[in-house]
Amino acid sequence: MDNIKYINIRGARVHNLKDIDLKLPRDKFIVFTGLSGSGKSSLAFDTIYAEGQRRYIDSLSAYARQFLEQLQKPDCDSIEGMSPAISIEQKTAGSNPRSTVGTTTEIYDYLRVLFARIGAPHCYKCGRKIARQSPQEIVDQVMKLPAGKDIIILGPKVGGRKGEYRELFSDIRKDGFTRVRVDGKIFELDKDIKLEKDRKHSIEIVVDRLKMRPEIKRRLTDSVETALRAGAGVAIVNDGEKDRLFSELYACVDCGISYQEPSPRSFSFNSPYGACPDCNGLGTKLEIDPDLVMPDRSKPLIDAVEPWKRGGRGFLLYYRGMLKEVAGHYHFDVETPFSKLGRETQKMIMYGSDLQVWGRRYEGVINQLERLFRETESEYLKEEINKYMSVLPCPKCGGARLKPESLAFTIGGRSIDKVTSLSVKQALDYFGSLGLGGKDAAIARQSLKEILARLKFMADVGLDYLTLDRASATLSGGESQRIRLATQIGSGLVGVVYVLDEPSIGLHQRDNDKLLDSLKRLRDIGNTLIVVEHDEATIRSADYIVDLGPGAGKHGGRIVCAGETGEFLKSPDSLTAKYLRGEVRIEASAVRRALKGRKSLEIRGAKEHNLKDIDVKIPLGVFACVTGVSGSGKSTLVDEILYRALAQKFYKAKEKPGKFRSISGTENIDKVIVIDQSPIGRTPRSNPATYTGMFTPIRELFSRLQESKLRGFKPGRFSFNVKGGRCEACQGDGVIRVEMHFLPDVYVTCEVCKGARFSEQTLEVKYKGNSISDVLSMTVEDALVLFENMPRIREKLRVLNDVGLGYVELGQSATTLSGGEAQRVKLATELSKRSTGRTLYILDEPTTGLHFADVDKLLKVLHALVDQGNTVLVIEHNLDVVKTADYIIDLGPEGGDGGGELVASGTPEEIAKDKRSYTGVYLKKVLRQIPG
C-alpha cells in the first residue's frame, strides 16, 4: 500500500455528481467544501465511503456476509487506491435510554472491572466497611494477640431478635456444643435457659476457650473454621475486653446483610445481577407527579387538587367532603393555600394516613391515583390518570440504576454512580489522583490505563464538560460524532480512510484547535481523512481542499477547484475561496435594532445542571444570540428552562422545565416555536411537499383540471397514502421490499408503476405537461417556474427557495434530508404562515451544514422574521451569525462546572470589549474586518 500515493476516482455520477474525475492524495487531511447541496456528501459518503465499505464486505466469507448489510456499488466507473473506510457521520445518537457517554466510549466497561476487583465493600444500611477474610487470615490476626491472654471463639446464631429459642438451644446441643453466650453471658446448655419472649436477644455458640500461646495455632485454626461454619461465615473472638468480628463473606453482621462475590456484571445496569429491580436499570419510572397533581400550590387546598376537580358534580362533592373530614380531624382549614400548610400535613394529604373516612382508610391523592391506574380496566381512565404522570427518578435507587449492594462498593471514597456523575475533566483529576498502592495498583493498572486514555481523547476533542452518565439520546449530532471520533483515535488503526461530516458542529472557536490537533494525529499515524466541512479554521488547516459546485442541486456536482490549501486560496472561480480571502463577506447590520425601552422576557434564578442561579434578560422583537464555550449551559438555559416553561404555559406540555425561580414578561408573546434539526418525518412517505402543506393545494389543482373533472377525480385521487389513485402493487411507495430471510431486505423499483407511485390513469392527468409524479420529482427551483401563477403554492415554494433549498426535490424522502435541511424545511413552513408578530422562535445552531453563502441567505430570512415584530433566539457559535445579532447573552466562562455563569450581555461591540468572554476575543477579530 506504501507505493500507492493517491485515491483515483473516475466517472462518479451518484445523485447530482456530473461524471467527475478526482485524484486525492493518501495519508492527508482533505476537506470537501462547497454550497449546501453541491454534492459533497454524495462524493464523500455515497461514493468513496460506500465503495470502501462494499469492498471490505465483499472480502468476507459468504457466511459472514449474510449477517451484514448488502451495499450497492456506487454509480462510478472506477475507484483505485481505496482502503477500508470508516464513516463518522453527523447523526444524533440512538434513543436507547440505557446508552450513556460511559457505555458508548467503553469507559463504563473498564469501570465495572475496576470496581469488581478493587472496590471496597460497605454495608448499604449502616455504611460500615466490610472486610472479607479467609480462615487463615483470621488466624494470623488472632495470633498477634499477646501471649497468655484468654480468648473465646464464638459462632453467632441470632443477632438482636425477639423469641425464646428453645428449639435452637436443643439443636445446638445435638450438634455437640456445650455452651452458648446469650446477651453477653455464658450459659451451660445442659441447664434450662429461659428467655423473655418479647425482648431482643443475641445468641452465640461458644466453640472454644483458649490461652494465647504459639503452639495453639493448629487448634485455633480448627476452632475458627468451626465457628465460621456455625456462624454462617462469621466468627467472633472475645479477648476479655471486646469482641472482634471476622467474616469470610461480604457481610455486615450488625445489619444481617451479606453480598455475593462481586463480578463486573454486578455493576451493570443492563444485567439483572446489577440492575435496580424496581426500574430495571433505567434509573427512572413513570410515576404520579406531585407537581402535576397540584400545579398551583398557592390556591386554597379545596381547589388545588387538579384530578379531584375532574368528573361530574357528584365526584366533586365527594372529594370536597372527604377533604373537609380529613381537615376536621387534623385541625386545618381547607381554604388555606396548600403551600402554607405544614410539611407533615402536606405529606398526609398526598400520601394518606390511618384515618378512617366514611368507613375507608384515607389513602391520599397520589396513592389513590396509583391504585386506580393499577386496578382499572378502563382505557379512558388510564389515559386521564396518565396526564398526572411523569418520568421521575426511581424512588428505590434515586436514579443510580443499580442495586444497593452494587452502590456500596467504593474506590477512593466514591461509588460507581458517583464516579459516572463526574464530568470528563473531573474524572481525569479523580483517576489521576487515586494513589493506589501495593496489590490494588497492580490489579488496576491495565483498566486505569484504558480509562485515562479514553478520557484524554474525549478532552482532546473538546468534550471535557460531558458527564459519563449523560444519556446518549441527549447529545447533539456534533457531540455524538466527536465521541465516535475519540473512540477511533483510541483504537489506533492505521491505513484507514476516515470520512467525517462537519466534526466542528457545536464547538466554540476556542475548542476548535483541540479538535484539529486530534484530526491531524489520526492523519499522522498513517490514515487518510476526508472531512466535509464549512468551518473556516478547519478549511485553512487542511492539506488538500476540494470545492464542489458551482451551485446546488442540478447546478452543482462539478469540481470547481481541487488543490493544496495555498493553491486553493488563490482560485478565482471558487466562491469559498472568495469568502476566505475576504472578497465576499457576510455583512453585519449597519444599524442594530435599538434595545432601549423594549419589553423583555426575564428568567430569574436559573440553576439547572451547571447554571449558577443566574438571572437572564432577553429583549423582545430583536435578533438575540446565546453564545459560550461548549458545555457552558446554553442549551440548558434555552431548551430545558425557557422553552419547556413556555411550552407548559402555552401548550400545557408535560415535560418539566429545569430549576428556575420565575419567568416574567410571558404576556408579551403569544407562542413559542422551536425549529430544531430533528427529522421532518420518520417514514419515506414524509417529504417537503407534505410537511409544508404544499401538497394539498397541488392535489386540489390537479383535481380541478378538465381531465380530472371528466373522470370524477377528487384531491384524494392524487394522494399516495390512500387507495384510489396510488399504485396498489407498491402501495404508493414506488419501491417494493423483498424479504431475503438471512440477507438484508432488498428494495426494488416497482415494476407496475416504474417508481412513479401512482396508477396509469392518475398519471394521465397532466398540468402543463407534468403528471403528479413529475411534480414530486421536481426541484423547488423548477416547481417555482411551473406554479408561478398559483399564489398558494408559489408562496410556499418561494420561502423554501429563500432558505437555500432550491435544489431539494418536492417528493424527496424525509429520511434522506440532512439535519440542516430538515431544519430549513421547518423554518420555511413557519415563514409561510401568517405571523402574529408576537412569536418567539428558538433555533439551536441553524448554520449546521451551511456554506457561507447559505448562511447569508438564512440570516436574511431570520431578520425578516424579526422585522415582522417577532423575536428570534439562536444558540450559535458561528461568528458570522453572532456579529449580526442585536443582543448577545454570553455564558461561561468555561464548560461543565467551570461554566453556568452569565459572563456578559449586550451588543456584539460590548461583548467584544469584555475581557472575560472567550466569544468576545474571537468576535473582536471579526468586527475589525467590517468596513467603517
Side-chain angles (χ1 to χ4, degrees), residues 63-68 70 739-745:
Y63 175 76
R65 285 204 302 272
Q66 72 177 331
F67 302 109
L68 296 167
Q70 299 299 296
E739 283 191 35
M740 301 291 283
H741 300 293
F742 294 111
L743 296 170
D745 296 341

Side-chain angles (χ1 to χ4, degrees), residues 815-843:
T815 54
T816 65
L817 294 173
S818 70
E821 287 168 339
Q823 188 173 36
R824 280 177 285 155
V825 169
K826 292 177 188 177
L827 186 59
T829 307
E830 287 305 322
L831 282 165
S832 63
K833 294 176 183 172
R834 187 171 282 118
S835 169
T836 60
R838 298 180 65 208
T839 304
L840 171 64
Y841 292 98
I842 295 173
L843 294 93

